[in-house]
Amino acid sequence: MQSTRAKLIQLLAVSREDYISGQALSEQLQISRSAIWKHMKALETEGYVIEAKPKVGYRILNYPNEMNEYTLRRGLETNWLAKTLIHKPIVSSTQDIAHELAKKGAEHGTIIIANEQTKGKGRMNRAWYSKAGKGIWLSMILRPSIYPYEAPQLTLLSATVIADAIKKMTNLQPQIKWPNDVLINGKKIAGILTEMHAEQDQIHYVVIGIGLNVNQEIEDIPAELQHRASSIQIESNKICDIRKIAQNLLAMFEKEYEAFIHEGFSKVKNKWESYGYKMGERVWLNMQNQRFQALFLGIAEDGALLMQTEDEDIKRVYSAEIEWFKED
């Protein structure tokens, strides 16, 4: 649900070069003209350049570069995803907020996005460094009509969307390391955390958390992680528009999610394999107290890894410690 200020910006954006009177704004938003003036002053403190002419009205001359609810909505081409969009300058974790809201009945497609997380997390409760203004830290609440055992497919879907968005907006070639990491030049730039609340045969909700490193410089990456982690800026040597990447990511996710719900996992599987890290190569696996080498063939229809052992048996791997890197 849009806030009054977001609706105000939308009205001004629709009028483009034309002025819109304070009276017209007051009637459409059902607030006083004095309240309209206060909102305009607040917008100016956020970086908007607003022209006001007595007896004529208001118009926006320039928009701020900072990512917030209003700048995100402007130009966002989605139908239902981010219809409810909650932006926070700083939070402990967007994932925690999403769970709280989902339990209270937040609608399908609700997005929580922050400029900074102080306690961002990935799989296995690993810390995710989410510095202010350096990346995209968001969680989305979904209520999909799929079975709980199919939920891991949403992680793979999300990874393909992130890879597509990076490829579309940069000259970089991303890869996906199963199940939830997006890499560039072998270094992690994005991670996905999928959590759900479900019964045996019914999903109540799924929360998908996405952390994407965009404009970190090398000194922003902890020294102990610099051989494994990176950002779009480091790998492309260009500063990126975080807001535009976020908007593209959301628009592409909505489209691919709808295709997945209506058409199944086959398209996602094919796209994932086109990005698959170390597809066709041998890697070491540790599972069931055994360590063995296998050829990575791809992913199965249910999202499991397909591994061919040395005796040519094909195993479906749902959970294992995999040595993707030589130093593992």
Side-chain angles (χ1 to χ4, degrees):
M1 187 173 180
Q2 281 184 295
S3 66
T4 299
R5 196 168 301 171
K7 292 176 182 177
L8 171 61
I9 293 170
Q10 187 174 30
L11 289 171
L12 291 167
V14 168
S15 67
R16 295 181 183 273
E17 298 299 318
D18 297 327
Y19 294 90
I20 182 166
S21 71
Q23 183 61 36
L25 291 170
S26 175
E27 292 172 357
Q28 292 190 58
L29 297 175
Q30 296 184 326
I31 59 177
S32 67
R33 293 183 66 174
S34 173
I36 294 290
W37 182 83
K38 289 179 181 178
H39 277 296
M40 293 297 182
K41 291 301 176 185
L43 289 175
E44 287 178 339
T45 65
E46 294 172 1
Y48 289 84
V49 178
I50 296 172
E51 184 178 33
K53 280 193 174 182
K55 299 182 180 180
V56 178
Y58 301 93
R59 66 174 178 170
I60 295 178
L61 298 180
N62 202 7
Y63 292 80
N65 292 323
E66 181 184 346
M67 186 171 68
N68 55 46
E69 178 191 352
Y70 323 115
T71 56
L72 276 168
R73 287 192 182 281
R74 181 175 178 265
L76 178 60
E77 297 178 353
T78 59
N79 295 315
W80 52 265
L81 187 62
K83 183 178 179 182
T84 297
L85 190 156
I86 299 167
H87 171 268
K88 300 287 186 181
I90 183 169
V91 296
S92 58
S93 165
T94 60
Q95 202 78 346
D96 292 344
I97 294 173
H99 277 288
E100 290 175 10
L101 294 174
K103 290 173 184 175
K104 294 177 182 177
E107 67 179 343
H108 174 69
T110 295
I111 297 293
I112 300 91
I113 189 166
N115 290 350
E116 181 179 5
Q117 294 183 115
T118 58
K119 295 182 180 179
K121 62 180 180 179
R123 288 177 71 243
M124 312 287 288
N125 280 320
R126 296 188 180 104
W128 185 275
Y129 297 90
S130 316
K131 295 192 68 172
K134 296 288 186 175
I136 296 170
W137 330 117
L138 68 80
S139 295
M140 58 181 80
I141 299 170
L142 302 174
R143 300 186 185 274
S145 54
I146 60 176
Y147 291 107
Y149 71 83
E150 297 174 300
Q153 296 175 353
L154 292 171
T155 301
L156 305 177
L157 166 66
S158 301
T160 65
V161 171
I162 294 170
D164 279 348
I166 293 169
K167 189 174 180 180
K168 177 182 177 181
M169 300 193 70
T170 71
N171 60 354
L172 300 171
Q173 181 59 49
Q175 291 181 296
I176 304 172
K177 180 171 73 66
W178 187 87
N180 69 326
D181 291 345
V182 180
L183 314 179
I184 295 177
N185 297 324
K187 294 184 178 182
K188 181 175 177 176
I189 65 158
I192 301 152
L193 177 61
T194 302
E195 300 173 316
M196 72 172 172
H197 178 56
E199 296 177 19
Q200 187 173 0
D201 61 351
Q202 180 185 8
I203 291 177
H204 294 297
Y205 69 82
V206 174
V207 174
I208 300 178
I210 294 174
L212 174 58
N213 292 344
V214 180
N215 283 332
Q216 285 91 344
E217 298 176 84
I218 192 67
E219 56 267 26
D220 294 321
I221 309 289
E224 66 273 17
L225 297 178
Q226 289 178 7
H227 68 296
R228 287 278 186 85
S230 191
S231 72
I232 294 176
Q233 181 182 336
I234 292 170
E235 299 303 320
S236 67
N237 201 31
K238 292 180 181 178
I239 296 175
C240 300
D241 188 326
I242 294 176
R243 179 180 61 88
K244 286 185 178 178
I245 293 178
Q247 289 175 328
N248 268 281
L249 190 64
L250 294 173
M252 293 168 76
F253 185 91
E254 181 182 88
K255 178 182 176 182
E256 297 302 321
Y257 175 87
E258 289 178 346
F260 164 70
I261 293 297
H262 293 110
E263 301 168 21
F265 186 64
S266 180
K267 180 183 175 183
V268 177
K269 166 181 158 62
N270 292 336
K271 182 172 284 188
W272 193 99
E273 290 180 336
S274 73
Y275 287 118
Y277 180 66
K278 294 210 169 175
M279 284 271 295
E281 297 183 33
R282 291 190 175 276
V283 295
W284 286 95
L285 286 82
N286 294 283
M287 57 186 298
Q288 298 174 344
N289 297 318
Q290 290 184 315
R291 183 176 184 266
F292 60 94
Q293 198 174 43
L295 181 66
F296 179 21
L297 299 178
I299 57 174
E301 284 295 336
D302 61 359
L305 280 181
L306 293 176
M307 292 288 192
Q308 186 178 54
T309 61
E310 291 182 347
D311 56 8
E312 297 191 352
D313 283 344
I314 296 177
K315 289 182 176 288
R316 289 191 178 210
V317 177
Y318 295 91
S319 178
E321 182 184 338
I322 303 171
E323 299 175 15
W324 294 106
F325 305 104
K326 290 180 180 179
E327 62 269 28
D328 280 342

